[in-house]
Amino acid sequence: MTSISPADPSVPVLSPVDGRWSGQAEHDSLAARNCRLTPGEWLTVKVRRSEVPAGGDVYQAFQVPYQKWMRVLDALNWIAENAAADLAFRWFCGSKMCGTCAVRMNGREVLACWEAVEPNMVIEPLRNLPVIRDLVVDRSRYEDKVASLEPWIERREPYGEFPEPLTHKQMKDASKALDCISCMCCYSACPVIGLGNLTDFAGPAPLVQLGQTALDPRNDPEKVRRSLALTGIFDCVSCYKCEEVCPAHIPIVSRVIEPLKAKAAQLVPEMARHSFALRGIVARRGRVDPGELILRVQGLRALGNLRRILRLFARGKINPIKTILGIKTGAAEAAMRLLGNRAGRP
Amino acid sequence: MRFAYYPGCSARSTCAELNDATHLVASRLGLDLVQLESASCTGARELRAIDPAGFYALNVRILALAESHGLPLMTICNTCTLNVLDAHAAFVSDPELAASVNARLAEENLHYSGRTRISHFLWVLHEDIGEQRLRQQVVNPLAGLTVAAFYGCHITRPPGRYGFVDSRNNRALERLAEILGCLPIEYSGRTECCGFHTAAHDERVAIKLTGQHVLAAKAGGATAMVTPCPLCHTVLDSFQPEMEKDIDQKLDMPVLHLPQLVGLALGLSPEQLKIDRHMVPADVLDSYAATASPGLK
């Protein structure tokens, strides 16, 4: 077989397709969604109900006439006024501020007051919180967690001067967290929270609430340490599901969770064992040796996975000799220079 | 078409077959890869959290190495891709950071100007090779092979980097699978998380999450899964026995690296592509390989 060179004139070159946005153009904008509907058109809205009549479906279907600029909330209000007066849902401000109207529309967390309707919608309550009725969830699990994290500022020293000097740079992450409207979209979207009590991960919404004060340089480090120790923050899988659904567009992972992890690494270093181990290995050897990483993070606990270790060894996926000898890679010199010869601690 | 090629740590250790398959497929496609031998780890998710200065230094250095060759950068790992993209974005938006990183890189005569184009192999296939050229190279269409595309997270989120309102709308892998002759299936796990990044300290999350994704792929009729990320591959493939134990159900789901699926369609054999190096046997794919008799297809 011959390889085709890009300069080969026999091959007509099509205009390139942008691979990283493939699928986005057709239907991935709110404007595109709205444009597909004309006033008077019927929407099919299936709402998950709590009280299901005998033989009925947990999803009750409604036909709703589309009006220009219709939001999910308008559709729910139309249903309550015209078809199901007993439908339970929450809303207050109707303008993306109070955070009470979040629901799942076609499997995605949205604010009902800010999301354009779609021709076919399945509306469900948020996940990961108990349902009180229909679309109304019990937020107390979240509120209790936030309260336990003591999300306020404590001062040991008196104010140095007034107004207290505080730079934009010092507040850049906390200010992002302060945009939170407590709508719980992220809490519903988080896959780790979705696993129930498997870990003690606090979840994105409580961490954002904590970030408002824990990332404030005026806060007492001892108090921040106490709060961070209760977060299980290193169980965040960095999937960015929370960021994807945040109606306030808070970069939750990069501007809240990661800065909080950095604080935890300073104040509660035992929580960041995995991070320090990885850093130490990269600094010494240039690249990650998976065997050494597991041994450093898990210690003797790693032997509990002896069967997998043997499987990996049999397929040549791990190399114990390299691990034991700590063989350096071609990147070791540069990594050592840029990260420093420290035992992983920043 | 030349690229500076950054394989990352995983493709140099637990997923060495990915690196080998990438080189083979690239050469078939006329891609000339200059492997960056002295490039370090990008720091996974750990370094960027606990040591941002170190994170920027290592990642900008990778971009500077590509620039020193005058070449765009090609990656094959989702997390590495997002790391270099994030470091690049921080570099070009913060002159103070840019100056301090360049000062450190100057010790080895490297300099980054902020102009390296960063592309994952998946995007290179769409953007640089292009559909038509790729179709011409498909000598062994994988007719009827049902595949479940598993994107993972860092190639489609965060929205601030990739622009998806809903990452589930990403179709880059399915479109590619169709070009190769496959039948991509729909299932709930496509753009979900494999849990790799907490697996070193608590693998239960990865096993629970990914078990559901593989189960959904199987229920959707997939013969195999394909992923553009070696970290996802490690969980999907190496942890499958633990997933089976957790859900008390056999999965037997072969998982291919993206270049391996492409390679099969380009006429390379499973042995050449080192598909036998995976934990879950992929014998079921033998009948789709170029060497199989046509009657088996």
Side-chain angles (χ1 to χ4, degrees):
Chain A
M1 191 188 307
T2 53
S3 291
I4 299 177
S5 127
D8 187 340
S10 67
V11 181
V13 178
L14 295 179
S15 58
V17 176
D18 210 323
R20 61 199 81 184
W21 292 289
S22 179
Q24 198 175 88
E26 296 95 332
H27 44 97
D28 207 9
S29 76
L30 298 183
R33 287 173 187 171
N34 255 327
C35 287
R36 287 201 295 273
L37 291 159
T38 48
E41 206 174 313
W42 291 97
L43 312 174
T44 301
V45 185
K46 289 183 181 170
V47 184
R48 188 178 171 96
R49 304 296 304 266
S50 300
E51 288 161 27
V52 184
D57 192 350
V58 68
Y59 292 94
Q60 191 179 357
F62 301 94
Q63 296 293 313
V64 177
Y66 175 71
Q67 296 150 26
K68 189 83 177 156
W69 309 122
M70 196 171 203
R71 308 163 298 171
V72 172
L73 178 61
D74 301 321
L76 293 175
N77 278 331
W78 190 95
I79 292 169
E81 284 163 22
N82 298 282
D86 63 336
L87 177 66
F89 58 101
R90 273 200 192 108
W91 70 285
F92 182 65
C93 76
S95 56
K96 204 182 179 182
M97 290 171 74
C98 74
T100 58
C101 68
V103 292
R104 298 181 82 228
M105 187 261 273
N106 291 344
R108 193 166 67 91
E109 287 75 12
V110 299
L111 282 187
C113 76
W114 214 252
E115 191 71 15
V117 290
E118 291 193 8
N120 291 289
M121 295 194 291
V122 176
I123 309 289
E124 298 165 297
L126 295 182
R127 294 183 294 194
N128 305 335
L129 292 164
V131 174
I132 297 174
R133 194 157 76 86
D134 295 338
L135 303 175
V136 178
V137 292
D138 179 357
R139 296 162 57 101
S140 54
R141 182 182 296 170
Y142 154 77
E143 284 157 2
D144 292 348
K145 186 72 203 180
V146 172
S148 78
L149 298 179
E150 303 175 62
W152 53 78
I153 292 178
E154 280 180 14
R155 310 292 298 262
R156 282 175 181 271
E157 306 296 324
Y159 285 59
E161 55 185 289
F162 186 85
E164 196 169 18
L166 202 56
T167 65
H168 157 263
K169 196 157 186 166
Q170 286 174 308
M171 285 299 285
K172 71 179 170 61
D173 295 327
S175 76
K176 289 282 180 194
L178 285 159
D179 289 339
C180 177
I181 56 171
S182 301
C183 64
M184 299 286 97
C185 282
C186 59
Y187 199 77
S188 171
C190 176
V192 181
I193 292 297
L195 295 175
N197 295 323
L198 187 70
T199 72
D200 59 358
F201 182 50
L207 288 172
V208 173
Q209 290 295 310
L210 175 63
Q212 296 178 346
T213 53
L215 297 174
D216 187 314
R218 295 169 294 184
N219 214 334
D220 175 22
E222 171 49 30
K223 145 113 194 6
V224 174
R225 188 200 65 76
R226 212 163 58 222
S227 303
L228 284 169
L230 301 173
T231 59
I233 192 167
F234 286 90
D235 284 323
C236 166
V237 287
S238 300
C239 68
Y240 294 93
K241 287 265 180 186
C242 50
E243 284 195 31
E244 182 172 32
V245 298
C246 178
H249 302 295
I250 302 170
I252 299 175
V253 176
S254 55
R255 299 293 290 278
V256 181
I257 292 181
E258 286 183 341
L260 284 175
K261 279 182 174 175
K263 284 244 179 242
Q266 287 167 4
L267 301 170
V268 207
E270 61 272 21
M271 288 177 79
R273 191 170 177 175
H274 179 177
S275 304
F276 288 131
L278 187 135
R279 189 186 187 285
I281 294 167
V282 175
R284 266 183 291 103
R285 302 176 59 183
R287 286 195 286 270
V288 175
D289 176 309
E292 185 179 352
L293 181 67
I294 296 294
L295 281 174
R296 288 197 179 276
V297 176
Q298 299 185 356
L300 289 176
R301 190 159 58 91
L303 293 176
N305 282 321
L306 201 57
R307 287 177 68 177
R308 186 184 319 129
I309 294 169
L310 292 173
R311 284 200 315 261
L312 290 165
F313 178 64
R315 290 281 197 283
K317 283 182 169 277
I318 50 174
N319 185 337
I321 305 295
K322 271 190 185 172
T323 300
I324 291 164
L325 297 180
I327 289 173
K328 294 182 176 179
T329 69
E333 197 185 317
M336 176 78 80
R337 192 167 44 74
L338 294 172
L339 296 181
N341 184 18
R342 290 166 287 180
R345 296 287 170 92
Chain B
M1 239 174 288
R2 294 188 90 201
F3 280 88
Y5 166 56
Y6 175 73
C9 302
S10 206
R12 304 290 295 265
S13 55
T14 40
C15 293
E17 71 279 2
L18 167 61
N19 194 26
D20 296 339
T22 302
H23 278 291
L24 267 180
V25 169
S27 112
R28 284 280 166 114
L29 291 171
L31 287 176
D32 185 6
L33 302 183
V34 179
Q35 187 160 318
L36 300 177
E37 287 298 340
S38 81
S40 68
C41 173
T42 64
R45 296 302 305 185
E46 315 309 320
L47 201 59
R48 48 187 290 152
I50 66 163
D51 182 6
F55 169 78
Y56 291 125
L58 293 192
N59 283 276
V60 172
R61 181 173 174 274
I62 293 167
L63 294 163
L65 286 170
E67 188 174 295
S68 72
H69 290 279
L71 295 172
L73 180 71
M74 186 180 99
T75 56
I76 49 167
C77 166
N78 288 5
T79 298
C80 296
T81 307
L82 182 60
N83 280 344
V84 286
L85 283 170
D86 278 353
H88 168 86
F91 180 95
V92 295
S93 65
D94 184 346
E96 207 172 297
L97 172 74
S100 71
V101 173
N102 266 333
R104 301 184 70 189
L105 297 184
E107 293 172 40
E108 53 178 325
N109 291 321
L110 282 172
H111 178 85
Y112 187 49
S113 69
R115 282 197 283 272
T116 294
R117 180 164 79 94
I118 301 158
S119 200
H120 185 285
F121 177 62
L122 173 63
W123 305 332
V124 170
L125 291 173
H126 281 288
E127 297 168 5
D128 300 271
I129 304 289
E131 181 176 338
Q132 185 164 355
R133 213 185 295 274
L134 197 55
R135 278 190 196 282
Q136 287 180 334
Q137 292 278 61
V138 173
V139 296
N140 176 47
L142 305 172
L145 176 62
T146 50
V147 293
F150 190 86
Y151 287 79
C153 299
H154 299 154
I155 203 164
T156 192
R157 288 185 296 275
R161 188 63 63 226
Y162 299 117
F164 282 98
V165 173
D166 186 343
S167 58
R168 293 175 304 175
N169 287 341
N170 199 331
R171 304 302 295 177
L173 275 171
E174 279 86 356
R175 281 187 184 166
L176 182 69
E178 282 167 356
I179 293 169
L180 305 177
C182 306
L183 292 171
I185 67 143
E186 297 298 324
Y187 73 111
S188 59
R190 291 174 57 250
T191 55
E192 298 296 312
C193 178
C194 73
F196 176 89
H197 289 292
T198 59
H201 67 261
D202 187 352
E203 63 186 37
R204 295 172 307 162
V205 171
I207 290 165
K208 291 267 180 208
L209 290 179
T210 309
Q212 294 309 309
H213 308 329
V214 179
L215 193 59
K218 195 176 176 71
T223 307
M225 296 178 81
V226 62
T227 178
C229 179
L231 310 182
C232 296
H233 187 278
T234 296
V235 177
L236 288 163
D237 181 54
S238 299
F239 285 41
Q240 229 179 86
E242 284 77 11
M243 293 172 211
E244 290 177 335
K245 201 171 158 194
D246 184 55
I247 57 176
D248 196 20
Q249 196 173 330
K250 285 299 279 181
L251 291 167
D252 289 328
M253 177 63 72
V255 187
L256 297 182
H257 297 289
L258 175 63
Q260 291 178 323
L261 186 73
V262 177
L264 285 175
L266 298 188
L268 294 161
S269 72
E271 294 74 32
Q272 285 173 299
L273 295 163
K274 301 202 174 150
I275 291 173
D276 56 354
R277 204 164 172 266
H278 298 172
M279 306 300 287
V280 179
D283 303 343
V284 64
L285 295 171
D286 288 349
S287 61
Y288 294 92
T291 47
S293 67
L296 282 172
K297 285 190 186 175

